[in-house]
Amino acid sequence: MILASVELIGVFRWLYGLLVELGLEEPWLSVVIYGLLSVTIFGVLCLIALFLVWWERKIAGHMQQRFGPMRNGWHGWYQTVMDALKLLQKEDIRVDTRDRAVFFWAPVICFVAAFLAYIVIPFGDGLIVADLNIGILYVIAITTFTVISLLMAGWGSNNKYALLGGMRSAAQVVSYEVPMVASILTVIVFSGSLSMVDISNSQQGNFIFNWFIFRPPFGIIAFLTYITAATAEANRTPFDIPEAEQELVAGYNIEYSGMKFAMFFLAEFVNMFTVSAIATTLFLGGWHGPLLPSWLWFIIKTLAIVLLLMIFRWTFPRLRVDQLMEFAWKFLVPLTFANLILAGWMKYAGWYW
Amino acid sequence: MSKLKTQEFMVNMGPHHPSTHGVCRLMLTLDGEKVVKIVPVIGYLHRAIEKICENRTYAQCIPLLDRFEYVTSMSCEYVFADAVEKLAAIEVPERAQYLRVIMLELNRIASHLIFFGTTVMDIGALTPFLYGLRERELIMDLFEMTCGQRLTYNYITIGGVSHDIPPEFIPKCREAVKIIREKLKDYEGLFNENPIWLARTKNIGVLSAETAVAYGVSGPILRASGIKYDIRKNEPYGIYDRFDFNIPTYTHGDAYDRYMVRLDEIRESLKIITQALDGLPEGDIRKKVNPFTFKPPAGEIYNRIENSRGEMGVYLVSDGTTKPTRLKLRGGSYNHLQVLPHVAVGGLVADLVAIFATFDIIMPEVDR
């Protein structure tokens, strides 16, 4: 049975039983179940993205001695919902000189790529769509897709600022992919598996001290380098040069309006959540933790990292494009590789528990 | 691969670009990210203030001059009123002199706080902008308390000042001085040793002392390049010779030094304000001058003061009637915009933004 590899949580298991009882057979059974799963994941992530936009605005507001959104509901809780509705109604302005196909597909690819990674992210004990045995590799491959969409947006808009933004993001994301993967590899050395579930499980027990972040010094170094690279991957300050407002006005999405812009915007926040969720899985023990239910642990840890990224954004100035490259290639790459090699050697020598 | 060609391309930075602070348009020629050529295009904010003033009485000129450089309106008022007073040999009462100094220095601080906010924002840190404006708010409140206005004051008039300060001004002002002095430490803690900030500003946009002098650069930019020149000290006007303050000077002339000079100047201005508050005498605030029939004797005068952006001057020709025959304004930003291509060519776009920000150019002063 195809579904054997899929961990189904309560409601889906119940639904699965119901469908079998109703006499639904393969392949339709799988189609219905997977369809429902994708819709659920998509809905949850849209909610998370909307929440993150609101949260970011609140945090920015409070850091800046103001309130942030206050009008819609308690502390403006449905402000972003209204914003999204507004963007839906807006006219879709398209430049005449655009590259039609490229301009159209760029936000779609960006949006889809942002959501695809969630197939292998374990939100809790058994809360995973598909536990691929190459899980983390799949995530790395899929998240890199985003850069194609940014390049496409930059090129398709036929705007110089957008082109500069697209080129910058391509250079940046490709550069930071290297240290990011090297720091992820350190974790893979620890756990001996690429599967997200296995990685989480190998950090189980011993209160919280089995988390990979508590394996000095390599775990901590890998975590810090991963967070740095992830900030760059998610295009956030101090590495937000692709959309540096004061230099490029808006960067690659300058010509986009209405829902197409909203797709870029939401994808950005979903990406931020993705990198934080991966950090949680790899370094902070995934869903494992004492007392609280597993999914709550996962959300708490992920939001903690998201909070860290938000505080970064509202505190630091922005690096220059060449300094950014220098930082990646001359500092992060050697550091992460040295870290990886030493961690592998320690593991081989059996000095790690 | 030999078929691949690279090409320089032109970008219009402005007039609606977020980091040109108004309506400056820079025609940039870029080679990838590198700036090859900069041509500033000015005139988007030309309002013919000089010409309109020729049809106004002297007292009516002052509200117009408020708009000349609206971030430090007090200076614009002062430089004109002082010129007219010198021309007509009007003795300004002692209390008015002190009030003028307090207002000028408060306004200088407000301007430098805006500089701090917008500069760090242009370099990517969005939050401190709000901090800068928060402290500026204290000063705006003081102005509002005194003359009812927050931006264009019409406060310094010919012969004195328009309103006396209310009794709660002095304690409020002392408190503001204290708060700003405290908060300056926060700013410095956030940026002065921040590696990202240092990477973005150290050795960026170096303006040598020779170039600065050749282009007529003045004010904090000149002092950042290592020339100790401040009209308040070198050619004291008003009662500035009575106060004890230093002229902060740096040597490299890079973006970092220009930023540091201004933060230090805020401290010096706070010192002056404290001294002026201590020495504030009682008495008249204005020598009576009839705004409709006031006629200075025929003659001409060039008067200049140290504004927060450099030398601000006014050239005034009077033919003995109630209206000026000719009024010519000099703003520091005009020269600073001229020297900008000299400094920023060869750097990256991001450097250009940092340099433009630390030059603190304000467009109404350029276009008038």
Side-chain angles (χ1 to χ4, degrees):
Chain A
M1 199 173 73
I2 301 170
L3 282 172
S5 68
V6 182
E7 301 274 354
L8 292 177
I9 50 161
V11 63
F12 282 101
R13 204 169 287 137
W14 172 79
L15 208 64
Y16 181 72
L18 187 75
L19 289 172
V20 170
E21 236 173 69
L22 286 174
L24 204 65
E25 286 180 8
E26 296 288 359
W28 296 111
L29 194 58
S30 301
V31 170
V32 171
I33 285 285
Y34 275 112
L36 285 171
L37 264 176
S38 359
V39 169
T40 315
I41 292 272
F42 183 76
V44 168
L45 285 176
C46 279
L47 282 182
I48 287 177
L50 288 177
F51 166 73
L52 288 185
V53 174
W54 172 81
W55 203 35
E56 167 126 59
R57 291 178 63 180
K58 286 310 263 193
I59 285 173
H62 285 283
M63 283 182 76
Q64 297 175 347
Q65 318 266 323
R66 53 190 179 87
F67 290 118
M70 285 298 275
R71 292 299 172 92
N72 292 318
W74 182 79
H75 281 253
W77 68 269
Y78 64 88
Q79 175 73 42
T80 40
V81 179
M82 302 307 263
D83 284 346
L85 287 177
K86 181 202 75 177
L87 285 170
L88 267 174
Q89 295 167 28
K90 280 198 128 179
E91 185 190 353
D92 181 23
I93 299 166
R94 287 159 293 184
V95 206
D96 278 344
T97 48
R98 73 191 185 278
D99 189 328
R100 278 161 192 279
V102 176
F103 187 81
F104 176 79
W105 284 107
V108 178
I109 291 178
C110 188
F111 200 60
V112 170
F115 283 91
L116 275 179
Y118 284 87
I119 290 177
V120 295
I121 288 179
F123 283 93
D125 196 3
L127 276 173
I128 183 169
V129 180
D131 180 19
L132 302 181
N133 57 0
I134 52 153
I136 188 68
L137 185 66
Y138 169 83
V139 171
I140 294 165
I142 284 296
T143 46
T144 317
F145 252 77
T146 315
V147 69
I148 298 174
S149 68
L150 303 191
L151 254 183
M152 282 168 73
W155 180 258
S157 310
N158 199 2
N159 178 308
K160 287 163 186 168
Y161 286 122
L163 183 62
L164 271 178
M167 300 306 285
R168 280 178 170 196
S169 69
Q172 174 182 333
V173 176
V174 169
S175 304
Y176 276 85
E177 202 81 353
V178 180
M180 188 168 118
V181 171
S183 42
I184 288 176
L185 278 175
T186 314
V187 170
I188 294 171
V189 166
F190 289 157
S191 71
S193 167
L194 290 169
S195 151
M196 300 291 262
V197 172
D198 288 351
I199 291 172
S200 294
N201 280 334
S202 58
Q203 303 174 67
Q204 202 175 358
N206 196 6
F207 193 49
I208 56 170
F209 298 106
N210 270 359
W211 298 358
F212 286 143
I213 190 178
F214 296 118
R215 287 204 176 178
F218 308 114
I220 292 169
I221 293 175
F223 177 71
L224 294 178
T225 48
Y226 174 81
I227 286 289
T228 315
T231 319
E233 282 275 313
N235 287 337
R236 295 178 65 79
T237 321
F239 307 108
D240 65 338
I241 52 159
E243 44 201 79
E245 184 192 320
Q246 285 78 17
E247 293 151 33
L248 302 180
V249 190
Y252 57 86
N253 58 21
I254 187 168
E255 293 288 2
Y256 284 89
S257 60
M259 206 52 211
K260 281 182 184 154
F261 170 75
M263 281 160 97
F264 276 120
F265 194 66
L266 287 181
E268 195 188 314
F269 280 85
V270 173
N271 275 334
M272 184 169 69
F273 194 76
T274 315
V275 293
S276 310
I278 296 169
T280 304
T281 314
L282 296 183
F283 298 99
L284 301 181
W287 70 82
H288 293 293
L291 299 175
L292 297 174
S294 60
W295 58 272
L296 198 58
W297 265 117
F298 186 84
I299 293 287
I300 289 172
K301 290 172 187 172
T302 309
L303 287 186
I305 293 174
V306 169
L307 180 65
L308 189 70
L309 293 183
M310 285 180 179
I311 292 174
F312 280 173
R313 173 162 182 190
W314 298 105
T315 309
F316 289 130
R318 178 187 305 122
L319 276 169
R320 213 171 57 199
V321 60
D322 57 326
Q323 292 163 347
L324 193 86
M325 294 296 157
E326 241 166 60
F327 184 66
W329 291 106
K330 292 186 184 166
F331 179 73
L332 277 185
V333 170
L335 178 69
T336 48
F337 272 99
N339 190 41
L340 173 63
I341 289 164
L342 285 174
W345 180 59
M346 294 282 272
K347 168 100 177 174
Y348 181 72
W351 290 351
Y352 263 128
W353 61 91
Chain B
M1 281 301 276
S2 59
K3 285 269 173 71
L4 276 179
K5 278 190 299 185
T6 59
Q7 191 188 336
E8 291 176 353
F9 68 107
M10 214 203 78
V11 173
N12 270 311
M13 193 167 155
H16 293 291
H17 192 279
S19 66
T20 51
H21 300 190
V23 283
C24 180
R25 174 173 159 216
L26 300 174
M27 284 160 61
L28 306 180
T29 310
L30 300 182
D31 178 13
E33 289 263 346
K34 209 174 142 204
V35 179
V36 180
K37 195 179 162 201
I38 304 172
V39 181
V41 182
I42 63 170
Y44 290 94
L45 208 58
H46 179 61
R47 291 154 302 171
I49 291 177
E50 292 161 348
K51 186 69 189 166
I52 298 171
C53 283
E54 291 171 15
N55 297 318
R56 298 277 189 278
T57 63
Y58 284 93
Q60 283 174 330
C61 285
I62 287 178
L64 271 173
L65 285 162
D66 271 338
R67 276 84 182 162
F68 166 43
E69 208 265 61
Y70 45 65
V71 181
T72 50
S73 294
M74 289 289 181
S75 302
C76 317
E77 291 165 9
Y78 181 81
V79 70
F80 179 75
D82 196 38
V84 177
E85 284 152 9
K86 278 180 184 161
L87 200 61
I90 296 173
E91 195 71 28
V92 179
E94 193 82 336
R95 186 174 173 82
Q97 296 268 27
Y98 272 87
L99 287 180
R100 282 179 174 188
V101 167
I102 292 171
M103 296 304 171
L104 282 171
E105 293 307 316
L106 280 175
N107 214 332
R108 187 189 312 278
I109 295 170
S111 166
H112 283 339
L113 286 174
I114 288 207
F115 160 83
F116 169 77
T118 52
T119 301
V120 295
M121 190 166 70
D122 283 349
I123 298 182
L126 299 169
T127 301
F129 173 66
L130 277 292
Y131 295 167
L133 287 192
R134 178 187 62 195
E135 267 70 80
R136 177 175 175 267
E137 198 65 20
L138 299 168
I139 296 171
M140 294 293 111
D141 287 346
L142 290 175
F143 287 151
E144 191 180 2
M145 186 191 293
T146 309
C147 62
Q149 294 289 339
R150 293 166 65 84
L151 200 62
T152 49
Y153 315 103
N154 196 11
Y155 181 68
I156 297 173
T157 55
I158 297 162
V161 295
S162 69
H163 297 76
D164 201 351
I165 49 171
E168 68 268 27
F169 180 93
I170 292 177
K172 280 257 168 78
C173 188
R174 283 191 197 280
E175 199 194 325
V177 166
K178 210 174 120 208
I179 292 173
I180 293 169
R181 194 170 277 145
E182 280 301 307
K183 296 292 179 187
L184 270 180
K185 285 180 199 150
D186 287 1
Y187 301 166
E188 293 181 339
L190 259 177
F191 287 107
N192 282 13
E193 282 158 31
N194 183 334
I196 302 175
W197 178 258
L198 293 181
R200 284 301 306 276
T201 53
K202 276 267 183 200
N203 294 321
I204 300 300
V206 178
L207 177 64
S208 68
E210 295 81 50
T211 322
V213 172
Y215 276 84
V217 169
S218 54
I221 308 178
L222 185 69
R223 293 193 281 278
S225 293
I227 295 180
K228 196 166 182 165
Y229 178 78
D230 188 321
I231 302 174
R232 285 177 296 174
K233 274 272 191 214
N234 292 48
E235 213 177 85
Y237 50 89
I239 51 164
Y240 270 105
D241 46 354
R242 298 184 199 174
F243 299 111
D244 168 41
F245 62 99
N246 302 321
I247 305 172
T249 312
Y250 283 77
T251 46
H252 296 297
D254 55 9
Y256 183 77
D257 282 358
R258 289 194 280 272
Y259 156 82
M260 287 302 289
V261 161
R262 286 184 170 101
L263 282 198
D264 288 352
E265 267 185 24
I266 295 180
R267 283 221 170 74
E268 298 306 320
S269 293
L270 292 174
K271 259 169 72 184
I272 297 176
I273 292 169
T274 318
Q275 291 170 39
L277 284 175
D278 290 340
L280 184 66
E282 293 298 320
D284 282 342
I285 54 151
R286 185 168 53 216
K287 177 142 188 181
K288 276 271 176 279
V289 172
N290 187 329
F292 302 107
T293 58
F294 171 68
K295 287 178 193 154
E300 56 185 86
I301 185 168
Y302 179 70
N303 189 32
R304 55 185 194 153
I305 63 162
E306 183 74 23
N307 181 28
S308 62
R309 290 184 172 70
E311 178 183 329
M312 176 182 273
V314 54
Y315 176 65
L316 184 69
V317 182
S318 160
D319 57 357
T321 59
T322 55
K323 293 168 186 172
T325 314
R326 175 81 177 99
L327 184 71
K328 170 82 178 77
L329 299 166
R330 184 221 192 262
S333 296
Y334 190 72
N335 300 51
H336 302 162
L337 191 61
Q338 277 182 338
V339 80
L340 177 75
H342 206 89
V343 177
V345 162
L348 303 178
V349 183
D351 290 339
L352 171 65
V353 171
I355 295 165
F356 197 96
T358 51
F359 270 15
D360 201 14
I361 290 166
I362 176 162
M363 288 318 285
E365 210 184 13
V366 178
D367 294 337
R368 297 196 274 280

